[in-house]
Amino acid sequence: MLNNILKTSRQVLYPVARTFSRSGNHGNVVTEAAATVGAPPATRSPLILPQDYTDCLPVSRNTARQAWIENTDAVAERKVGLIELHPDVFAAQPRVDIIQENVEWQSKYRYVSMAHTKTRAEVRGGGRKPWPQKGGGRARHGSLRSPMLKGGGVVHGPRSPTTHFYMLPFYKRVLGLTSTLSVKLAQDDLHIIDNVDIPTGDAEFLKDLIAERNWGPSVLIVDEDHMFPANICQASDDLGYVNLMPTFGLNVYSMLKHDTLVLTVAAVKHLEQRLLYQLNRNDAASKGGKFKLDQV
Amino acid sequence: MNVGKISVVTRLPALRSCAQYSSAAKAELPASLVGDVDVEPTYPQTVDRSGLQPQHKNVLLNKLPYQEPHSWIHLTEKYQRQAFGRYGAQSNVNPKICFDSHGEKDSRQVMQLETLLKMLEKNRAQKAEELARINAREEDIAKKMEKLTQWKADLHAKIAKREADAAAAIQRKERLVEEVRRHFGFKVDTRDERFKEMLEQKEKEDKKKQKEAKRKAKEEKMMAKLVEKASV
């Protein structure tokens, strides 16, 4: 039944739906309100977005995923459409070990250790020979700051700053993204909205929306563009557990830190396009080399 | 991101809603809190949520990172060429600096191309010069080969003279020692003081004789020259 809907609406609705989703991304609040007032929401045509497999054929088409497209103009949930997700991006076999490596890399690569010990040359004092070389019966020592003695220097201790930077291989980062997106979808922690325009900048609206739709204790809202409308920025600024992010900043750590991942339709399309490009590029060997600090 | 968190009252939803909907509660609040309620941050139409530095965002959007130079590196010719290559006319770089990127030498070589006839003439001149140099060296060698026999004879004569002088000196010394011994009439040690004194006297006399001999030889030479002049 779902396949029939997809087949019949593939040719007819795809261009119109794409235009609608793109143009509605940066819509003005006033125009949105006018549109809402002008036409009742129930009569708007559903947004059916089938997947176009001509460019990137998936490994297995049987594992294609579908997800509802939800509204953002009211607290009550209303499904405004249906989108088919590419299986190579959203139905990949989850590699939990690679997800863990990505989280560890994102924690470590920016960490600089400031632990600092002093050598015997830097510890204050200890210039005088503590006791004579001969005739005393004690072991010979030249300084009280020797590493062997209490209060002396430290040999091979930490010397700050020590960077823990390293770069994870390129395709581990790519697979980390596809695995995390697949895990989020499989755990039903991924929601797709048509755009990020909300009718008011009040934090209560966003809080009620999250509570009504069971979006969990923390939410990450991802859009394709890095310029977000004023209302959602104002509302999310008052809530510490709601964060906004453009697609180029999407990463494994942030996806796992937030309980729910909310993507716009434009963000889903952009993510699929970029990740499928990386998975199918014919110069993949060039990305496998050693990371250079001045590479772009 | 942190603009909305500056105000304490706005972060407390219950207190804010209470202050918003109840005029009686507003009277009870202190003046500072009441003032805070009225002031809220204003947002532009769209807000940047990329979290990037402006120059990094420009790189991401494929634009010139800095509108004006921020470092000496941005003034180097290499950076300017790179900026023009990457961002085109937007980079405000004079494209003239991209011309002649291999240096002056190539340009000079390109501009100073010669005609075929000139090249042939230059090549012929070079060959003639080389040949002349070789001929001069060979002539010099031939002259030296002609002189080789004479040089050999001179060298042998010089060697013989040196050896003869050395032998003569040795014989002279032996002769003087014999004279001194015959003077004393008995065997005298060569290290004896009397022997040394007598040896010095004999040496002086011998030097005088040598001087006289040299002078006579010189006079004979001059007489021979005069005779030759008179005969001519």
Side-chain angles (χ1 to χ4, degrees):
Chain A
M1 179 177 180
L2 196 62
N3 290 330
N4 289 333
I5 295 173
L6 291 177
K7 284 177 185 175
T8 52
S9 59
R10 177 191 296 263
Q11 302 295 332
V12 177
L13 291 173
Y14 187 74
V16 178
R18 192 180 195 91
T19 307
F20 175 80
S21 66
R22 290 279 172 169
S23 63
N25 187 16
H26 311 292
N28 203 347
V29 177
V30 178
T31 55
E32 185 70 22
T36 307
V37 171
T43 59
R44 196 166 63 181
S45 61
L47 192 69
I48 308 292
L49 298 173
Q51 187 68 236
D52 185 14
Y53 293 125
T54 53
D55 288 334
C56 298
L57 198 65
V59 174
S60 172
R61 283 186 69 168
N62 295 330
T63 58
R65 300 280 193 258
Q66 288 89 28
W68 293 112
I69 302 173
E70 303 172 14
N71 66 319
T72 51
D73 54 359
V75 167
E77 182 180 3
R78 192 177 73 255
K79 299 181 171 48
V80 302
L82 192 67
I83 185 171
E84 188 177 357
L85 305 172
H86 201 283
D88 285 352
V89 175
F90 290 95
Q93 177 69 34
R95 291 285 304 270
V96 181
D97 57 320
I98 288 180
I99 293 173
Q100 190 269 334
E101 282 189 45
N102 274 264
V103 172
E104 185 174 345
W105 165 63
Q106 286 194 249
S107 305
K108 282 183 173 177
Y109 82 99
R110 57 188 171 181
Y111 174 66
V112 178
S113 174
M114 302 304 287
H116 190 74
T117 55
K118 291 182 176 179
T119 61
R120 63 183 291 171
E122 292 167 353
V123 182
R124 185 184 175 94
R128 183 175 63 95
K129 192 171 177 64
W131 50 79
Q133 178 90 355
K134 283 179 169 292
R138 305 190 66 179
R140 47 195 174 187
H141 279 293
S143 173
L144 282 177
R145 302 305 180 216
S146 169
M148 287 187 287
L149 301 177
K150 184 175 186 291
V154 176
V155 181
H156 303 306
R159 307 277 285 169
S160 85
T162 304
T163 174
H164 287 68
F165 176 84
Y166 71 102
M167 207 59 184
L168 206 65
F170 181 77
Y171 277 96
K172 282 194 174 182
R173 288 180 260 144
V174 174
L175 293 181
L177 286 174
T178 54
S179 291
T180 311
L181 286 169
S182 304
V183 164
K184 283 291 184 182
L185 184 66
Q187 293 175 341
D188 209 13
D189 287 327
L190 190 139
H191 294 267
I192 299 175
I193 54 180
D194 50 352
N195 51 57
V196 288
D197 296 319
I198 60 176
T200 173
D202 192 4
E204 283 296 324
F205 177 86
L206 200 55
K207 187 186 292 187
D208 294 339
L209 188 141
I210 292 167
E212 175 70 23
R213 303 181 186 198
N214 298 317
W215 278 2
S218 55
V219 177
L220 177 66
I221 300 174
V222 180
D223 190 18
E224 184 192 358
D225 196 15
H226 63 278
M227 306 300 289
F228 280 80
N231 279 346
I232 195 165
C233 291
Q234 184 177 350
S236 62
D237 270 351
D238 293 337
L239 303 173
Y241 50 90
V242 179
N243 287 306
L244 309 176
M245 184 179 280
T247 45
F248 57 75
L250 191 67
N251 57 93
V252 176
Y253 189 93
S254 298
M255 283 196 272
L256 294 186
K257 184 183 172 67
H258 297 82
D259 198 84
T260 298
L261 178 66
V262 178
L263 304 171
T264 61
V265 171
V268 168
K269 291 298 175 186
H270 187 247
L271 278 173
E272 280 180 356
Q273 186 252 325
R274 296 305 304 154
L275 286 170
L276 290 170
Y277 171 75
Q278 301 299 340
L279 290 171
N280 292 279
R281 63 192 294 166
N282 53 14
D283 59 340
S286 69
K287 306 301 282 186
K290 183 177 164 61
F291 179 77
K292 299 182 182 62
L293 286 181
D294 60 343
Q295 74 182 46
V296 178
Chain B
M1 185 76 190
N2 291 323
V3 176
K5 296 177 180 177
I6 294 171
S7 177
V8 179
V9 178
T10 52
R11 275 174 53 190
L12 302 173
L15 190 56
R16 188 177 61 187
S17 64
C18 182
Q20 186 174 356
Y21 299 119
S22 172
S23 59
K26 187 171 285 188
E28 296 172 8
L29 291 174
S32 61
L33 289 182
V34 173
D36 284 343
V37 170
D38 297 332
V39 178
E40 279 197 356
T42 56
Y43 286 81
Q45 196 57 239
T46 54
V47 183
D48 181 11
R49 281 287 184 261
S50 61
L52 295 174
Q53 299 281 336
Q55 62 268 20
H56 299 151
K57 199 192 328 168
N58 285 336
V59 168
L60 187 74
L61 301 173
N62 208 25
K63 295 197 294 182
L64 193 66
Y66 298 98
Q67 291 304 314
E68 48 193 34
H70 276 66
S71 170
W72 64 268
I73 295 168
H74 302 151
L75 300 170
T76 58
E77 204 176 58
K78 183 181 180 183
Y79 183 88
Q80 301 262 317
R81 285 204 191 107
Q82 186 176 276
F84 183 78
R86 193 169 287 165
Y87 304 109
Q90 180 204 149
S91 58
N92 295 323
V93 168
N94 191 352
K96 189 162 68 174
I97 66 172
C98 299
F99 179 72
D100 191 10
S101 57
H102 287 290
E104 284 185 49
K105 189 176 180 182
D106 284 2
S107 173
R108 196 180 294 126
Q109 281 182 3
V110 167
M111 296 305 293
Q112 291 179 357
L113 283 178
E114 295 159 349
T115 60
L116 184 62
L117 291 180
K118 267 189 180 179
M119 279 197 281
L120 288 172
E121 186 177 332
K122 187 191 276 189
N123 196 17
R124 196 180 297 113
Q126 278 179 1
K127 283 185 177 178
E129 185 181 332
E130 188 77 9
L131 194 61
R133 193 166 60 79
I134 290 167
N135 287 340
R137 187 162 181 271
E138 284 181 357
E139 285 175 5
D140 191 45
I141 289 167
K143 284 178 186 175
K144 286 171 181 173
M145 289 300 289
E146 287 170 3
K147 291 179 183 176
L148 185 62
T149 308
Q150 179 62 37
W151 284 343
K152 279 182 179 178
D154 289 351
L155 183 64
H156 289 324
K158 193 186 289 180
I159 290 167
K161 180 173 181 298
R162 201 184 305 144
E163 286 176 356
D165 288 349
I170 290 167
Q171 284 178 9
R172 176 169 159 277
K173 190 159 186 172
E174 288 175 356
R175 185 165 48 78
L176 288 174
V177 168
E178 276 300 314
E179 284 182 10
V180 171
R181 280 175 180 166
R182 274 190 269 105
H183 173 77
F184 282 110
F186 55 90
K187 276 287 187 180
V188 183
D189 193 4
T190 55
R191 289 170 289 199
D192 200 345
E193 285 294 332
R194 289 180 293 172
F195 187 90
K196 281 180 182 178
E197 286 174 8
M198 189 55 65
L199 190 62
E200 282 177 10
Q201 283 182 18
K202 292 291 182 183
E203 278 181 358
K204 281 179 185 177
E205 290 171 5
D206 194 66
K207 273 184 184 179
K208 282 180 182 178
K209 286 178 185 176
Q210 275 188 349
K211 275 185 181 180
E212 286 178 4
K214 276 185 183 179
R215 194 171 72 254
K216 283 180 183 177
K218 208 170 182 181
E219 286 175 1
E220 285 174 4
K221 270 188 181 180
M222 289 174 72
M223 290 297 288
K225 280 184 181 178
L226 288 173
V227 166
E228 285 180 3
K229 281 185 179 180
S231 66
V232 171

